[in-house]
Amino acid sequence: MTTQRVLITNDDGIAAPGIRRLARAAADHGFDVVVAAPSEESSGISAAMTAVVEDGRVVIDRRELATLEGIPTFAVSASPGYIVTLGRLGAFGDAPDLVMSGINRGANAGNAVLHSGTVGACLTAASGGLKALAVSLDVLTPTAGSAASGGAAIADIDKVDDETRNWQTAADLARKLMPALLTAPDGTVINLNVPDRRPDGVRGLTRARLARFGQVQMTIAEATEDYVRMSMKEEEARPEPGTDLAFLLEGWATVTAIHTITADESVELPLEDAAVTTSRSAERPRSPPMPVHHQACKPGDVPTGLVMASVTNLAPRLPWTSGFVRAKHWPTASAWHPRRRQARSRQTAERFPGRCIRP
């Protein structure tokens, strides 16, 4: 059996202790491991595609990390999602079969995973058909956080030496989930959250659904005409039973399978009100004119019949678009559901054989 290649990344930065534990666990499990993480902390960046570029080049530095001797390690001046994209394109050697992100300093739970750079890296991998594992250590006890305190809950985290936290507890549980990751469907993200406790202090591992909110909430601590000071405070509502936040509060490690964004076809859209009124408005949209430089489709090419744009920007630019229809391969108005993160795109070149342009 071919050894699976794993890209390990995070959003806490290359120097964070959690990434070393996760990479070591993956290597001990028998994976071919490469580590590539942001040069600096990139928390809360979601799946953003940002990078520091010098003369058109993304800055990458080769590093050596303790306990990871012999494992290729790179510090990249880019966001976690961008790093995953670079990895898939072969920037760090052979493209990965799997992506693992973490171990994050703080839980990534509830619908707030939308904003997580740790989970964002995994969702970026899943959007390309890869399986991914996000691992986070719940280090936050936000009992002191309030608008008045100006974020004391977050400040309390810094009072503990990060090297002394129970990273190994999370790494051991992550390793137990690695076989499940291998057998999961392509495009699956497994999100693991572990209490910052010794192994005998964790009650067990349980499957949980996402809570409706995150562990902490942003609030305005102070506002004037010249500035706004933000802080974090504990979510006052008790988490709903059966959710990841509720189980974490009770000392359980939680695991949740999540997916990338998908269109919500259950929402009714008044497309006739958005249609462009022309003499051809009753006609079905037809294929746009073929570009002169068209050629046979190759991986990564874009079919000329596939146009992705917003309703407000589309009509003035595309003369062949006489109206909007709800379809998968034409200019469309789509409804998006924030809780359904599953990209099952079937916009393939086979629908438009021989009609491709370079992206």
Side-chain angles (χ1 to χ4, degrees), residues 294-310:
H294 74 276
Q295 52 188 291
C297 291
K298 298 179 180 178
D301 290 350
V302 179
T304 58
L306 173 59
V307 180
M308 303 179 70
S310 67

Side-chain angles (χ1 to χ4, degrees), residues 85-160:
T85 300
L86 290 175
R88 293 188 61 224
L89 294 173
F92 314 115
D94 293 338
D97 303 297
L98 308 167
V99 170
M100 298 183 190
S101 185
I103 301 169
N104 190 66
R105 180 179 181 255
N108 280 303
N111 284 338
V113 297
L114 171 68
H115 309 293
S116 164
T118 301
V119 177
C122 291
L123 293 176
T124 301
S127 69
L130 300 183
K131 307 167 189 179
L133 172 65
V135 186
S136 303
L137 189 69
D138 181 11
V139 303
L140 182 62
T141 307
T143 54
S146 66
S149 67
I154 304 301
D156 283 346
I157 297 178
D158 296 325
K159 297 178 181 179
V160 179

Side-chain angles (χ1 to χ4, degrees), residues 41-87:
E41 183 175 354
S42 299
S43 297
I45 204 166
S46 189
M49 301 291 286
T50 60
V52 175
V53 178
E54 295 181 359
D55 296 327
R57 303 170 182 174
V58 178
V59 181
I60 300 176
D61 293 325
R62 190 70 179 256
R63 296 287 181 90
E64 292 185 3
L65 298 180
T67 74
L68 299 184
E69 294 81 3
I71 295 178
T73 302
F74 304 90
V76 187
S77 297
S79 61
Y82 199 109
I83 291 172
V84 169
T85 300
L86 290 175

